[in-house]
Amino acid sequence: MLHIYFGDMPEAIFNTEVYFKNVYDEKWLMDDFAKAVVKGVDKSEILDKFLIRSPVLGLIPPLMLSGGTKTLLLIKNCPKQVFNASNCGDNCAKYILRMAKERDVTINLHHLMRFKEPFSIHVINDDTVVETMMQLLMVAAQYV
């Protein structure tokens, strides 16, 4: 299940760019999830664990991936941590839900992310479970 905390969350890792730079493992890029995220979010192709082909930037190292892609890779590969998913655009939402189908995922948001229904999301702030964007909006509006 996906668990979201809206607003300031002291234990959440806010600067995912710096955190990624310090914990990234090149093996992270070699699984199917990473390949799907890099293609879906950054419109890029993983050539090997050290090199990505970007249609905008050309050949780049993994540290030059977008903030959203880095955050998704952190969420997947550091499951005990809570990350600021406001570094992600709405194009990352489906990947967050995909991970949450496999295991509990907790994220911190400072904005309302648009998730495609159907979903079941636990909002930690008031311990409610929402199943539509309208329900999520009504709860999130109290905190962001």
Side-chain angles (χ1 to χ4, degrees):
M1 175 174 264
L2 177 58
H3 307 272
I4 298 175
Y5 188 89
F6 287 102
D8 291 333
M9 184 181 194
E11 64 269 31
I13 296 167
F14 188 78
N15 192 336
T16 56
E17 293 278 336
V18 171
Y19 196 85
F20 185 88
K21 184 177 180 179
N22 288 297
V23 302
Y24 166 72
D25 184 326
E26 62 267 359
K27 289 179 259 174
W28 292 1
L29 289 183
M30 302 319 298
D31 71 10
D32 290 337
F33 178 81
K35 291 174 184 176
V37 167
V38 169
K39 186 168 193 69
V41 175
D42 286 358
K43 310 294 186 241
S44 298
E45 176 188 7
I46 297 172
L47 300 177
D48 67 32
K49 60 186 177 182
F50 302 109
L51 194 60
I52 296 146
R53 179 180 294 128
S54 164
V56 175
L57 303 172
L59 298 176
I60 61 169
L63 292 177
M64 289 184 66
L65 289 166
S66 71
T69 294
K70 290 176 187 175
T71 302
L72 290 171
L73 292 173
L74 287 168
I75 292 168
K76 179 176 188 299
N77 292 289
C78 304
K80 293 181 181 176
Q81 301 295 336
V82 177
F83 294 97
N84 170 24
S86 286
N87 290 319
C88 297
D90 288 342
N91 59 345
C92 297
K94 71 179 182 178
Y95 300 105
I96 293 171
L97 287 175
R98 184 184 300 174
M99 286 186 278
K101 285 183 181 178
E102 298 173 10
R103 65 170 171 85
D104 281 343
V105 171
T106 302
I107 62 172
N108 178 224
L109 283 174
H110 295 264
H111 77 288
L112 179 64
M113 182 176 280
R114 183 168 298 280
F115 293 96
K116 184 176 178 186
E117 298 173 20
F119 58 73
S120 185
I121 295 173
H122 173 235
V123 179
I124 298 168
N125 302 70
D126 63 1
D127 196 29
T128 59
V129 175
V130 296
E131 297 181 340
T132 67
M133 277 306 298
M134 183 56 75
Q135 291 173 341
L136 186 59
L137 170 63
M138 298 304 288
V139 174
Q142 300 173 58
Y143 305 106
V144 294

CSV table of all heavy atoms in Angstrom, one decimal, residues 28-78:
chain,number,residue,atom,x,y,z
A,28,TRP,N,21.6,-0.6,-9.7
A,28,TRP,CA,20.2,-0.2,-9.7
A,28,TRP,C,19.6,0.0,-11.1
A,28,TRP,O,18.5,-0.2,-11.3
A,28,TRP,CB,20.1,1.2,-8.9
A,28,TRP,CG,20.3,1.1,-7.5
A,28,TRP,CD1,20.7,0.1,-6.7
A,28,TRP,CD2,20.2,2.2,-6.6
A,28,TRP,NE1,20.8,0.5,-5.4
A,28,TRP,CE2,20.5,1.8,-5.3
A,28,TRP,CE3,19.9,3.6,-6.7
A,28,TRP,CZ2,20.5,2.6,-4.2
A,28,TRP,CZ3,19.9,4.4,-5.6
A,28,TRP,CH2,20.2,3.9,-4.4
A,29,LEU,N,20.5,0.3,-12.0
A,29,LEU,CA,20.0,0.6,-13.4
A,29,LEU,C,19.8,-0.7,-14.2
A,29,LEU,O,19.2,-0.6,-15.3
A,29,LEU,CB,21.0,1.5,-14.2
A,29,LEU,CG,21.1,2.9,-13.8
A,29,LEU,CD1,22.0,3.6,-14.7
A,29,LEU,CD2,19.7,3.6,-13.8
A,30,MET,N,20.2,-1.8,-13.7
A,30,MET,CA,20.1,-3.0,-14.5
A,30,MET,C,18.8,-3.8,-14.4
A,30,MET,O,18.7,-4.9,-15.0
A,30,MET,CB,21.4,-3.9,-14.1
A,30,MET,CG,22.7,-3.2,-14.3
A,30,MET,SD,22.8,-2.2,-15.8
A,30,MET,CE,22.6,-3.3,-17.1
A,31,ASP,N,17.9,-3.4,-13.6
A,31,ASP,CA,16.6,-4.2,-13.5
A,31,ASP,C,15.6,-3.6,-14.4
A,31,ASP,O,15.7,-2.4,-14.9
A,31,ASP,CB,16.1,-4.3,-12.1
A,31,ASP,CG,15.6,-3.1,-11.4
A,31,ASP,OD1,15.4,-2.1,-12.1
A,31,ASP,OD2,15.4,-3.1,-10.2
A,32,ASP,N,14.5,-4.3,-14.6
A,32,ASP,CA,13.4,-3.9,-15.5
A,32,ASP,C,12.7,-2.6,-15.1
A,32,ASP,O,12.3,-1.8,-15.9
A,32,ASP,CB,12.4,-5.0,-15.8
A,32,ASP,CG,13.0,-6.2,-16.6
A,32,ASP,OD1,14.0,-6.0,-17.3
A,32,ASP,OD2,12.5,-7.3,-16.4
A,33,PHE,N,12.5,-2.5,-13.7
A,33,PHE,CA,11.9,-1.3,-13.2
A,33,PHE,C,12.7,-0.1,-13.6
A,33,PHE,O,12.1,0.9,-14.0
A,33,PHE,CB,11.7,-1.4,-11.7
A,33,PHE,CG,11.0,-0.2,-11.1
A,33,PHE,CD1,9.7,-0.1,-11.1
A,33,PHE,CD2,11.8,0.7,-10.5
A,33,PHE,CE1,9.1,1.0,-10.6
A,33,PHE,CE2,11.2,1.9,-9.9
A,33,PHE,CZ,9.8,2.0,-10.0
A,34,ALA,N,14.0,-0.1,-13.3
A,34,ALA,CA,14.8,1.1,-13.6
A,34,ALA,C,14.7,1.4,-15.1
A,34,ALA,O,14.6,2.6,-15.5
A,34,ALA,CB,16.2,0.8,-13.2
A,35,LYS,N,14.8,0.4,-16.0
A,35,LYS,CA,14.7,0.7,-17.4
A,35,LYS,C,13.4,1.3,-17.8
A,35,LYS,O,13.4,2.2,-18.6
A,35,LYS,CB,15.0,-0.6,-18.2
A,35,LYS,CG,16.4,-1.1,-18.0
A,35,LYS,CD,16.6,-2.5,-18.7
A,35,LYS,CE,18.0,-3.0,-18.4
A,35,LYS,NZ,18.3,-4.3,-18.9
A,36,ALA,N,12.3,0.8,-17.2
A,36,ALA,CA,11.0,1.4,-17.5
A,36,ALA,C,10.9,2.8,-17.0
A,36,ALA,O,10.3,3.7,-17.7
A,36,ALA,CB,9.9,0.5,-16.8
A,37,VAL,N,11.4,3.1,-15.8
A,37,VAL,CA,11.4,4.5,-15.2
A,37,VAL,C,12.2,5.4,-16.1
A,37,VAL,O,11.8,6.5,-16.4
A,37,VAL,CB,11.9,4.5,-13.8
A,37,VAL,CG1,12.2,5.9,-13.3
A,37,VAL,CG2,10.9,3.8,-12.9
A,38,VAL,N,13.4,5.1,-16.5
A,38,VAL,CA,14.3,5.9,-17.3
A,38,VAL,C,13.6,6.2,-18.6
A,38,VAL,O,13.7,7.3,-19.1
A,38,VAL,CB,15.7,5.3,-17.4
A,38,VAL,CG1,16.5,6.1,-18.4
A,38,VAL,CG2,16.4,5.3,-16.0
A,39,LYS,N,13.0,5.2,-19.2
A,39,LYS,CA,12.4,5.4,-20.5
A,39,LYS,C,11.1,6.2,-20.3
A,39,LYS,O,10.8,7.1,-21.1
A,39,LYS,CB,12.0,4.0,-21.1
A,39,LYS,CG,11.5,4.1,-22.5
A,39,LYS,CD,11.5,2.8,-23.2
A,39,LYS,CE,11.2,2.8,-24.6
A,39,LYS,NZ,12.3,3.4,-25.4
A,40,GLY,N,10.3,5.9,-19.3
A,40,GLY,CA,9.0,6.5,-19.2
A,40,GLY,C,9.1,8.0,-18.6
A,40,GLY,O,8.3,8.8,-19.1
A,41,VAL,N,10.0,8.2,-17.7
A,41,VAL,CA,10.1,9.6,-17.1
A,41,VAL,C,11.0,10.5,-17.9
A,41,VAL,O,10.7,11.6,-18.2
A,41,VAL,CB,10.5,9.5,-15.6
A,41,VAL,CG1,10.7,10.9,-15.0
A,41,VAL,CG2,9.4,8.7,-14.8
A,42,ASP,N,12.2,10.0,-18.2
A,42,ASP,CA,13.2,10.8,-18.8
A,42,ASP,C,13.3,10.6,-20.3
A,42,ASP,O,14.1,11.2,-21.0
A,42,ASP,CB,14.6,10.5,-18.2
A,42,ASP,CG,14.8,11.0,-16.9
A,42,ASP,OD1,13.9,11.7,-16.4
A,42,ASP,OD2,15.9,10.8,-16.3
A,43,LYS,N,12.5,9.7,-20.9
A,43,LYS,CA,12.5,9.4,-22.3
A,43,LYS,C,13.9,9.0,-22.8
A,43,LYS,O,14.3,9.4,-23.9
A,43,LYS,CB,11.9,10.6,-23.1
A,43,LYS,CG,10.6,11.2,-22.6
A,43,LYS,CD,9.5,10.2,-22.8
A,43,LYS,CE,8.2,10.8,-22.5
A,43,LYS,NZ,7.5,10.2,-21.4
A,44,SER,N,14.6,8.3,-21.9
A,44,SER,CA,16.0,8.0,-22.2
A,44,SER,C,16.2,6.4,-22.2
A,44,SER,O,15.3,5.7,-21.8
A,44,SER,CB,16.9,8.6,-21.2
A,44,SER,OG,16.8,10.0,-21.3
A,45,GLU,N,17.3,6.0,-22.6
A,45,GLU,CA,17.6,4.6,-22.7
A,45,GLU,C,18.9,4.3,-22.0
A,45,GLU,O,19.9,4.9,-22.1
A,45,GLU,CB,17.8,4.2,-24.2
A,45,GLU,CG,18.2,2.8,-24.4
A,45,GLU,CD,18.5,2.5,-25.9
A,45,GLU,OE1,18.6,3.4,-26.7
A,45,GLU,OE2,18.8,1.3,-26.2
A,46,ILE,N,18.8,3.2,-21.1
A,46,ILE,CA,20.0,2.8,-20.4
A,46,ILE,C,20.8,1.9,-21.3
A,46,ILE,O,20.3,0.9,-21.8
A,46,ILE,CB,19.6,2.0,-19.1
A,46,ILE,CG1,18.8,2.9,-18.2
A,46,ILE,CG2,20.8,1.3,-18.5
A,46,ILE,CD1,18.2,2.1,-17.0
A,47,LEU,N,22.1,2.3,-21.6
A,47,LEU,CA,22.9,1.6,-22.4
A,47,LEU,C,23.8,0.6,-21.6
A,47,LEU,O,24.0,-0.6,-22.1
A,47,LEU,CB,23.9,2.5,-23.2
A,47,LEU,CG,23.2,3.5,-24.1
A,47,LEU,CD1,24.2,4.4,-24.7
A,47,LEU,CD2,22.3,2.8,-25.1
A,48,ASP,N,24.2,0.9,-20.5
A,48,ASP,CA,24.8,0.1,-19.5
A,48,ASP,C,24.7,0.7,-18.1
A,48,ASP,O,24.2,1.8,-18.0
A,48,ASP,CB,26.2,-0.3,-19.9
A,48,ASP,CG,27.3,0.8,-19.8
A,48,ASP,OD1,27.1,1.7,-19.0
A,48,ASP,OD2,28.2,0.8,-20.6
A,49,LYS,N,25.3,0.2,-17.1
A,49,LYS,CA,25.2,0.7,-15.8
A,49,LYS,C,25.9,2.1,-15.6
A,49,LYS,O,25.7,2.7,-14.5
A,49,LYS,CB,25.7,-0.3,-14.7
A,49,LYS,CG,27.1,-0.7,-14.8
A,49,LYS,CD,27.4,-1.8,-13.9
A,49,LYS,CE,28.8,-2.3,-14.0
A,49,LYS,NZ,29.1,-3.4,-13.1
A,50,PHE,N,26.6,2.5,-16.5
A,50,PHE,CA,27.4,3.8,-16.4
A,50,PHE,C,26.9,4.8,-17.5
A,50,PHE,O,27.4,5.9,-17.4
A,50,PHE,CB,28.9,3.6,-16.6
A,50,PHE,CG,29.5,2.6,-15.6
A,50,PHE,CD1,29.9,1.4,-16.0
A,50,PHE,CD2,29.6,3.0,-14.3
A,50,PHE,CE1,30.4,0.5,-15.1
A,50,PHE,CE2,30.1,2.1,-13.3
A,50,PHE,CZ,30.6,0.8,-13.8
A,51,LEU,N,26.0,4.4,-18.4
A,51,LEU,CA,25.8,5.3,-19.5
A,51,LEU,C,24.3,5.2,-20.0
A,51,LEU,O,23.7,4.2,-20.1
A,51,LEU,CB,26.6,4.9,-20.7
A,51,LEU,CG,26.8,5.9,-21.9
A,51,LEU,CD1,27.4,7.2,-21.4
A,51,LEU,CD2,27.6,5.3,-23.0
A,52,ILE,N,23.7,6.4,-20.2
A,52,ILE,CA,22.3,6.6,-20.6
A,52,ILE,C,22.3,7.5,-21.8
A,52,ILE,O,23.0,8.5,-21.9
A,52,ILE,CB,21.5,7.2,-19.4
A,52,ILE,CG1,21.5,6.2,-18.3
A,52,ILE,CG2,20.1,7.5,-19.9
A,52,ILE,CD1,21.5,6.9,-16.9
A,53,ARG,N,21.5,7.1,-22.8
A,53,ARG,CA,21.3,8.0,-24.0
A,53,ARG,C,20.0,8.8,-23.8
A,53,ARG,O,18.9,8.3,-23.7
A,53,ARG,CB,21.1,7.1,-25.2
A,53,ARG,CG,20.9,8.0,-26.5
A,53,ARG,CD,20.8,7.2,-27.8
A,53,ARG,NE,22.0,6.6,-28.1
A,53,ARG,CZ,22.1,5.3,-28.3
A,53,ARG,NH1,21.1,4.5,-28.3
A,53,ARG,NH2,23.3,4.7,-28.6
A,54,SER,N,20.2,10.1,-23.7
A,54,SER,CA,19.1,11.1,-23.5
A,54,SER,C,18.9,11.8,-24.8
A,54,SER,O,19.8,12.2,-25.4
A,54,SER,CB,19.5,12.1,-22.4
A,54,SER,OG,18.6,13.2,-22.5
A,55,PRO,N,17.6,11.9,-25.2
A,55,PRO,CA,17.3,12.6,-26.5
A,55,PRO,C,17.6,14.1,-26.4
A,55,PRO,O,17.8,14.8,-27.4
A,55,PRO,CB,15.9,12.4,-26.7
A,55,PRO,CG,15.3,12.1,-25.4
A,55,PRO,CD,16.4,11.4,-24.6
A,56,VAL,N,17.7,14.6,-25.2
A,56,VAL,CA,18.0,16.1,-24.9
A,56,VAL,C,19.5,16.3,-24.7
A,56,VAL,O,20.1,17.2,-25.2
A,56,VAL,CB,17.1,16.6,-23.8
A,56,VAL,CG1,17.4,18.0,-23.5
A,56,VAL,CG2,15.6,16.4,-24.1
A,57,LEU,N,20.0,15.5,-23.8
A,57,LEU,CA,21.4,15.8,-23.3
A,57,LEU,C,22.5,14.9,-24.0
A,57,LEU,O,23.7,15.1,-23.7
A,57,LEU,CB,21.5,15.5,-21.8
A,57,LEU,CG,20.5,16.4,-20.9
A,57,LEU,CD1,20.5,15.9,-19.5
A,57,LEU,CD2,20.8,17.8,-21.1
A,58,GLY,N,22.1,13.9,-24.8
A,58,GLY,CA,23.1,13.0,-25.4
A,58,GLY,C,23.4,11.9,-24.4
A,58,GLY,O,22.6,11.5,-23.7
A,59,LEU,N,24.7,11.5,-24.4
A,59,LEU,CA,25.2,10.5,-23.6
A,59,LEU,C,25.5,11.1,-22.2
A,59,LEU,O,26.2,12.0,-22.1
A,59,LEU,CB,26.4,9.8,-24.1
A,59,LEU,CG,26.2,9.1,-25.5
A,59,LEU,CD1,27.5,8.5,-26.0
A,59,LEU,CD2,25.1,8.0,-25.4
A,60,ILE,N,24.8,10.5,-21.2
A,60,ILE,CA,25.0,11.0,-19.8
A,60,ILE,C,25.3,9.9,-18.8
A,60,ILE,O,24.9,8.8,-19.0
A,60,ILE,CB,23.7,11.8,-19.4
A,60,ILE,CG1,22.5,10.9,-19.3
A,60,ILE,CG2,23.5,13.0,-20.3
A,60,ILE,CD1,21.3,11.5,-18.7
A,61,PRO,N,25.9,10.3,-17.7
A,61,PRO,CA,26.0,9.3,-16.6
A,61,PRO,C,24.7,9.3,-15.7
A,61,PRO,O,23.9,10.2,-15.8
A,61,PRO,CB,27.2,9.9,-15.8
A,61,PRO,CG,27.1,11.4,-16.0
A,61,PRO,CD,26.6,11.5,-17.4
A,62,PRO,N,24.5,8.3,-14.9
A,62,PRO,CA,23.3,8.2,-14.1
A,62,PRO,C,23.1,9.4,-13.2
A,62,PRO,O,21.9,9.8,-12.9
A,62,PRO,CB,23.5,7.0,-13.3
A,62,PRO,CG,24.5,6.1,-14.1
A,62,PRO,CD,25.4,7.1,-14.8
A,63,LEU,N,24.1,10.1,-12.8
A,63,LEU,CA,24.0,11.3,-11.9
A,63,LEU,C,23.3,12.4,-12.6
A,63,LEU,O,22.9,13.4,-11.9
A,63,LEU,CB,25.3,11.7,-11.3
A,63,LEU,CG,26.0,10.7,-10.3
A,63,LEU,CD1,27.3,11.3,-9.9
A,63,LEU,CD2,25.0,10.5,-9.1
A,64,MET,N,23.1,12.4,-13.9
A,64,MET,CA,22.5,13.4,-14.6
A,64,MET,C,21.0,13.1,-15.0
A,64,MET,O,20.3,13.8,-15.7
A,64,MET,CB,23.2,13.8,-15.9
A,64,MET,CG,24.5,14.5,-15.6
A,64,MET,SD,25.4,15.0,-17.1
A,64,MET,CE,24.3,16.2,-17.8
A,65,LEU,N,20.5,12.0,-14.4
A,65,LEU,CA,19.1,11.7,-14.6
A,65,LEU,C,18.2,12.8,-13.9
A,65,LEU,O,18.7,13.5,-13.1
A,65,LEU,CB,18.8,10.3,-14.0
A,65,LEU,CG,19.3,9.1,-14.8
A,65,LEU,CD1,19.2,7.9,-13.9
A,65,LEU,CD2,18.6,8.9,-16.1
A,66,SER,N,17.0,12.8,-14.3
A,66,SER,CA,16.1,13.8,-13.7
A,66,SER,C,15.9,13.5,-12.2
A,66,SER,O,16.1,12.4,-11.7
A,66,SER,CB,14.7,13.8,-14.4
A,66,SER,OG,14.0,12.6,-14.0
A,67,GLY,N,15.5,14.6,-11.4
A,67,GLY,CA,15.2,14.4,-10.0
A,67,GLY,C,14.1,13.4,-9.7
A,67,GLY,O,14.2,12.7,-8.8
A,68,GLY,N,13.1,13.4,-10.6
A,68,GLY,CA,12.0,12.4,-10.4
A,68,GLY,C,12.5,11.0,-10.6
A,68,GLY,O,12.2,10.1,-9.8
A,69,THR,N,13.3,10.7,-11.6
A,69,THR,CA,13.8,9.4,-11.8
A,69,THR,C,14.7,9.0,-10.6
A,69,THR,O,14.6,7.8,-10.1
A,69,THR,CB,14.6,9.3,-13.1
A,69,THR,OG1,13.7,9.5,-14.2
A,69,THR,CG2,15.3,8.0,-13.3
A,70,LYS,N,15.6,9.9,-10.2
A,70,LYS,CA,16.5,9.6,-9.0
A,70,LYS,C,15.6,9.2,-7.8
A,70,LYS,O,15.9,8.3,-7.1
A,70,LYS,CB,17.4,10.7,-8.8
A,70,LYS,CG,18.5,11.0,-9.8
A,70,LYS,CD,19.3,12.2,-9.4
A,70,LYS,CE,20.3,12.6,-10.5
A,70,LYS,NZ,20.9,13.8,-10.3
A,71,THR,N,14.6,10.0,-7.6
A,71,THR,CA,13.7,9.8,-6.4
A,71,THR,C,13.1,8.4,-6.5
A,71,THR,O,13.0,7.7,-5.5
A,71,THR,CB,12.7,10.9,-6.2
A,71,THR,OG1,13.4,12.2,-6.1
A,71,THR,CG2,11.8,10.7,-5.0
A,72,LEU,N,12.6,8.1,-7.7
A,72,LEU,CA,11.9,6.8,-7.8
A,72,LEU,C,12.9,5.6,-7.6
A,72,LEU,O,12.6,4.6,-6.9
A,72,LEU,CB,11.3,6.6,-9.2
A,72,LEU,CG,10.1,7.5,-9.5
A,72,LEU,CD1,9.8,7.4,-11.0
A,72,LEU,CD2,8.9,7.0,-8.7
A,73,LEU,N,14.1,5.8,-8.1
A,73,LEU,CA,15.2,4.8,-7.8
A,73,LEU,C,15.5,4.6,-6.4
A,73,LEU,O,15.7,3.5,-5.8
A,73,LEU,CB,16.4,5.0,-8.7
A,73,LEU,CG,16.2,4.9,-10.2
A,73,LEU,CD1,17.5,5.4,-10.9
A,73,LEU,CD2,15.9,3.5,-10.6
A,74,LEU,N,15.5,5.8,-5.7
A,74,LEU,CA,15.8,5.8,-4.2
A,74,LEU,C,14.6,5.1,-3.5
A,74,LEU,O,14.9,4.2,-2.6
A,74,LEU,CB,15.9,7.2,-3.7
A,74,LEU,CG,17.2,7.9,-4.0
A,74,LEU,CD1,17.2,9.4,-3.7
A,74,LEU,CD2,18.4,7.2,-3.3
A,75,ILE,N,13.4,5.4,-3.8
A,75,ILE,CA,12.2,4.8,-3.2
A,75,ILE,C,12.3,3.2,-3.4
A,75,ILE,O,12.1,2.5,-2.4
A,75,ILE,CB,10.9,5.3,-3.7
A,75,ILE,CG1,10.7,6.8,-3.3
A,75,ILE,CG2,9.7,4.5,-3.3
A,75,ILE,CD1,9.6,7.5,-4.1
A,76,LYS,N,12.7,2.8,-4.6
A,76,LYS,CA,12.7,1.4,-4.8
A,76,LYS,C,13.9,0.7,-4.1
A,76,LYS,O,13.7,-0.4,-3.5
A,76,LYS,CB,12.9,1.1,-6.3
A,76,LYS,CG,13.0,-0.4,-6.6
A,76,LYS,CD,13.0,-0.8,-8.0
A,76,LYS,CE,12.9,-2.2,-8.3
A,76,LYS,NZ,14.0,-3.0,-7.7
A,77,ASN,N,15.0,1.3,-4.1
A,77,ASN,CA,16.3,0.7,-3.6
A,77,ASN,C,16.6,1.0,-2.1
A,77,ASN,O,17.5,0.3,-1.6
A,77,ASN,CB,17.4,1.0,-4.5
A,77,ASN,CG,17.2,0.4,-5.9
A,77,ASN,OD1,17.3,-0.8,-6.0
A,77,ASN,ND2,16.9,1.2,-6.9
A,78,CYS,N,16.0,1.9,-1.5
A,78,CYS,CA,16.2,2.2,-0.1
A,78,CYS,C,14.8,2.2,0.6
A,78,CYS,O,14.3,3.2,1.1
A,78,CYS,CB,16.8,3.6,0.0
A,78,CYS,SG,18.4,3.8,-0.9
